[in-house]
Amino acid sequence: MKPKTIYIQDVTLRDGNQALKRPWTIDEKIEVFDLLVNLNVDGIEVGFPSSNEAEFHTCQVLSKRAPKGKPIAALSRANEREIGVTWDAIQYADTPRMHIVYPVSDFSIKHVLKISEKEVLQKIKSSISFARSIVGPGVEIQFSGEHFGDAIENFEFTKLAFHTAIEAGANIINLPNTVERYRPLVFVNMVKEIKESIGGKAMISIHTHNDLGMATATSVESVYVGAEQIEVALNGLGERAGNTNLYETAIALHQNGENLNINFQRIYPTAKRISELTGIPIGEKSPIIGDDIFSHRSGIHQDGVTKTLNQSKGAYRTFSPEFVGRIDKETISFTNQSGHKAIEFLLQKKGIQVSKEEIHKLFSLAKSISNQENNREITEEELVELSQTLLTFQ
């Protein structure tokens, strides 16, 4: 059931920006937009035009800036006035896309909307029909069933809601895990059932949040039950714990043999710039972009790393640094967790050849110093000095 083509739709400028402590200025949004174009994402959601005048203007500017053939979406609630405003903002794009959202879960219908399921269906039908009447037959309309991931209690109704949206003119059905509450397989099985119900009547899209830390896994696995589009965000930005991370998703799919249009070499520089623009630091252990992900301190790992250092597949490395635009390399450093191989490797880097017996003596000495000084790391420079001292007194 896996689709032939997987589309990466970025929502950083809408979902990511709306969650920032200081939302971006128009100039910053233009820069982020250009970063996304250079990454070659398949589509870009530029904002929520009806939320305020500045947002409307920005969406209009970005739509005019869009490359030919690049789908440019903007979000609207199921409200005719908002839909009209949204269309006024994005119609200048070469390939505009209307995105309408409305709740479908039992909880949201009862406690947020406080209306009947019949009224929900009427709202979906009337809003999408209106959107289709103003955008014409050639423009894509995406319908998001908000809180789809929480629609277990009324799943048959949710299916009916999506069929209603398609009959009214929607081309894309977006399935959001608006709040991540359950394990990935629960959501993935729901996606599978919707795909089986809809068939080829509309594209299936996925939009997952990371409340439990499983958004990327949920999105990636959804591809293998028929989802054709994944909505992602740069640096995993978004409400609360963020959205599905673009970098993790792209690399995970690539590692599993899928072909994407992403310019992988732009990943790392893009991540660094987004961190600067948001003021949100990149965690040193963050997958793909963290400072520490090519560092090795365990003796067992260091042995494997040195034996596979220049191979395309590393013993303890998923991908090469340069593949995602990094200029750093795999590094080995010495702590009290390290082995003899670290000593040998670090000295050879400096052009120093020592015997196995000398390495053993250096290893014991370096371990002793580390243990005596609160288990600190022993630097390359210190190892060189220790080796020179040891060789001098032999």
Side-chain angles (χ1 to χ4, degrees):
M1 195 180 284
K2 187 191 75 175
K4 292 181 180 179
T5 304
I6 303 166
Y7 299 96
I8 300 297
Q9 172 82 357
D10 187 87
V11 298
T12 306
L13 287 164
R14 198 271 299 171
D15 213 332
N17 178 69
Q18 73 186 30
L20 294 177
K21 292 178 180 177
R22 183 193 68 78
W24 288 316
T25 65
I26 185 170
D27 289 338
E28 290 169 329
K29 283 190 172 183
I30 289 172
E31 182 177 355
V32 174
F33 184 85
D34 290 345
L35 288 171
L36 289 166
V37 171
N38 289 332
L39 264 173
N40 201 34
V41 297
D42 296 296
I44 303 171
E45 186 161 274
V46 292
F48 190 0
S50 60
S51 62
N52 60 71
E53 192 172 326
E55 183 80 351
F56 173 85
H57 176 64
T58 301
C59 290
Q60 204 170 58
V61 168
L62 296 177
S63 295
K64 293 177 180 178
R65 193 179 184 87
K68 187 175 178 62
K70 184 79 68 179
I72 300 298
L75 186 71
S76 173
R77 290 177 294 188
N79 173 293
E80 289 189 5
R81 185 196 68 80
E82 290 189 13
I83 290 169
V85 170
T86 300
W87 180 241
D88 286 343
I90 65 168
Q91 63 178 305
Y92 302 98
D94 176 72
T95 310
R97 176 186 289 174
M98 179 68 70
H99 183 188
I100 298 170
V101 61
Y102 202 66
V104 296
S105 75
D106 183 67
F107 183 88
S108 293
I109 293 169
K110 288 179 179 177
H111 300 285
V112 180
L113 297 178
K114 297 183 178 180
I115 60 177
S116 68
E117 289 183 341
K118 182 179 179 180
E119 289 173 294
V120 171
L121 295 178
Q122 290 172 340
K123 192 73 170 177
I124 291 171
K125 181 179 179 180
S126 63
S127 61
I128 294 177
S129 295
F130 175 75
R132 179 56 69 199
S133 73
I134 64 172
V135 306
V139 172
E140 290 180 327
I141 296 177
Q142 175 171 309
F143 173 69
S144 285
E146 189 182 13
H147 288 290
F148 167 78
D150 198 29
I152 296 172
E153 293 88 351
N154 64 332
F155 200 60
E156 290 305 312
F157 166 78
T158 302
K159 289 182 187 177
L160 181 57
F162 291 138
H163 280 283
T164 300
I166 294 168
E167 289 167 7
N171 312 99
I172 302 168
I173 294 299
N174 192 39
L175 308 177
N177 215 5
T178 309
V179 177
E180 188 174 49
R181 304 185 193 276
Y182 309 111
R183 61 194 176 98
L185 190 58
V186 172
F187 184 88
V188 171
N189 284 336
M190 292 170 70
V191 174
K192 181 181 180 181
E193 196 166 335
I194 294 297
K195 176 61 179 177
E196 290 170 350
S197 176
I198 288 174
K201 294 178 181 177
M203 177 191 289
I204 296 293
S205 172
I206 303 298
H207 177 109
T208 66
H209 281 264
N210 203 37
D211 299 271
L212 300 179
M214 301 184 290
T216 296
T218 302
S219 292
V220 169
E221 287 304 314
S222 292
V223 166
Y224 295 91
V225 294
E228 298 170 69
Q229 175 177 282
I230 301 178
E231 297 199 344
V232 299
L234 299 174
N235 293 38
L237 296 177
E239 297 286 359
R240 306 177 309 281
N243 288 80
T244 301
N245 188 298
L246 185 152
Y247 321 127
E248 296 170 16
T249 302
I251 293 293
L253 288 168
H254 172 79
Q255 286 296 120
N256 283 279
E258 308 303 339
N259 293 317
L260 302 178
N261 295 319
I262 295 296
N263 181 354
F264 289 95
Q265 284 69 49
R266 291 296 308 161
I267 283 178
Y268 188 66
T270 299
K272 296 292 282 186
R273 183 56 185 146
I274 292 298
S275 179
E276 293 169 355
L277 286 169
T278 59
I280 301 173
I282 296 170
E284 66 176 25
K285 295 293 185 182
S286 295
I288 318 299
I289 58 175
D291 284 346
D292 215 34
I293 67 167
F294 294 110
S295 300
H296 309 281
R297 300 181 182 91
S298 159
I300 295 173
H301 286 210
Q302 289 169 339
D303 181 66
V305 168
T306 58
K307 292 173 179 175
T308 60
L309 198 58
N310 297 314
Q311 296 182 21
S312 58
K313 181 177 180 178
Y316 295 97
R317 166 175 49 77
T318 302
F319 56 92
S320 63
E322 58 269 19
F323 182 69
V324 294
R326 299 179 66 138
I327 59 172
D328 52 346
K329 302 293 182 183
E330 285 190 277
T331 62
I332 288 176
S333 54
F334 189 90
T335 71
N336 71 351
Q337 304 297 304
S338 302
H340 291 70
K341 187 62 83 171
I343 300 279
E344 181 183 6
F345 177 79
L346 292 170
L347 290 181
Q348 284 181 351
K349 273 180 62 181
K350 298 293 185 180
I352 301 171
Q353 298 293 328
V354 290
S355 68
K356 288 185 178 180
E357 183 182 351
E358 289 164 340
I359 288 172
H360 182 70
K361 290 179 180 178
L362 279 170
F363 174 78
S364 298
L365 182 56
K367 280 260 185 175
S368 177
I369 294 171
S370 177
N371 290 336
Q372 290 171 17
E373 299 182 14
N374 203 30
N375 297 337
R376 73 173 178 86
E377 179 181 323
I378 305 299
T379 66
E380 284 186 30
E381 290 72 20
E382 288 178 294
L383 287 173
V384 171
E385 288 179 13
L386 288 172
S387 70
Q388 292 172 341
T389 302
L390 186 66
L391 293 171
T392 300
F393 285 96
Q394 284 186 344

